[in-house]
Amino acid sequence: MRKLRLWAYYFKHAFASIRGNRLIYLISTGTIAISLLLFGAFVLLSVNFSNWVQSWEKSLSMSVYLKDGVDDQKKEKVRGVIEKLPGADIKGFISKEKALRDLEGTLGAQAGLLAGLTRNPLPASYEVVFRNENLSSEDLKNIKASLEKVEGVDEVQYSEQWMEQIEGMVYATRILGFIVGGLLCVAVLFIVTNTIKLAIYSRRDEIEIYKLVGATDWFVKTPLLIEGAIQGIFGALIALSILFMAYSLLTVRSIQLFGLPVMDFIFLSVAHVALILSLGLVLGLLGSFVAIGRFFRF
């Protein structure tokens, strides 16, 4: 019971200090929230891109784009060539009009951007999947080269070819996320440290009195550490709330263009949410440790 009352005192004292310095703590917590929001946005994008790439790895598909103005006879000729490929299965034919409708559906509220087009620039295409998943990269390159020689075919793209480019983008996004995240963590530490310093300066007389009557250093330091932890956790909760609201307002959750694998936009997992909350807590505590380390000996 004695320990419980002591911890109740620590938390009561920490919240009283926060109420007494509301503006400073509000600015500090808001800055932490913005920093963790940016970090969380990078994590969210990275997770969704990674899931998209993994879905590509499980499927082997090819898009055969046709030249503009190709007639029905040439379309059937292209279809016949595709059907003769080993393991090939034509999933469907996407006309120029359907490709444009798909793009408009994907853009949603921003579909008005296409209103100024004088002509439909999107190509018609055959979407092909391969039942034989043991095809090597060399096999795919050969199939691509042979199809592009067929009259009426403009270009051929296959999933592994796209995946190599997307994997590069995902890797770059992760690296950028780590760099930005590291800089934001440093900024958060600086903010929390200076906020706790201000709290210590504003209560230095009170702290001195505590020490004169025999209070231990930890008796004085614990509420300050709790203040830092509260800032970190509240900042993380605000960041996650804003991120979830932005995700909830998304009108498009599934994206598919020109027969590419569907990208289902998902929110952060419980593990990622716990990571951001833990990061906020650790940064808050670490900032407090740095601040009070200037005034106390551990």
Side-chain angles (χ1 to χ4, degrees), residues 12 22 40 52 61 67 75 92 126 135 146 184 194 252 264 270 272 277:
K12 181 180 177 182
R22 287 187 295 272
W52 195 27
S61 60
K67 293 179 180 178
K75 287 179 185 177
Y126 282 108
L135 291 172
S146 64
L184 292 174
N194 283 281
V252 179
D264 291 316
V270 174
H272 287 107
L277 286 172

Side-chain angles (χ1 to χ4, degrees), residues 69-78 93 126:
V70 66
D71 56 37
D72 292 339
Q73 185 178 356
K74 289 178 181 177
K75 287 179 185 177
E76 288 303 315
K77 181 180 178 182
V78 173
F93 175 75
Y126 282 108

Side-chain angles (χ1 to χ4, degrees), residues 128-145:
V128 185
V129 293
F130 288 88
R131 294 186 297 274
N132 179 11
E133 297 182 2
N134 296 320
L135 291 172
S136 65
S137 296
E138 194 61 34
D139 292 332
L140 290 169
K141 288 179 182 177
N142 291 334
I143 292 173
K144 170 182 165 70

Side-chain angles (χ1 to χ4, degrees), residues 164-179:
E164 290 172 1
Q165 299 175 13
I166 294 295
E167 282 178 338
M169 291 173 57
V170 172
Y171 180 75
T173 302
R174 285 176 179 169
I175 295 298
L176 182 61
F178 279 121
I179 294 172

Side-chain angles (χ1 to χ4, degrees), residues 142-157:
N142 291 334
I143 292 173
K144 170 182 165 70
S146 64
L147 283 174
E148 287 180 341
K149 292 177 182 177
V150 177
E151 188 178 7
V153 174
D154 183 35
E155 186 183 4
V156 176
Q157 293 280 357

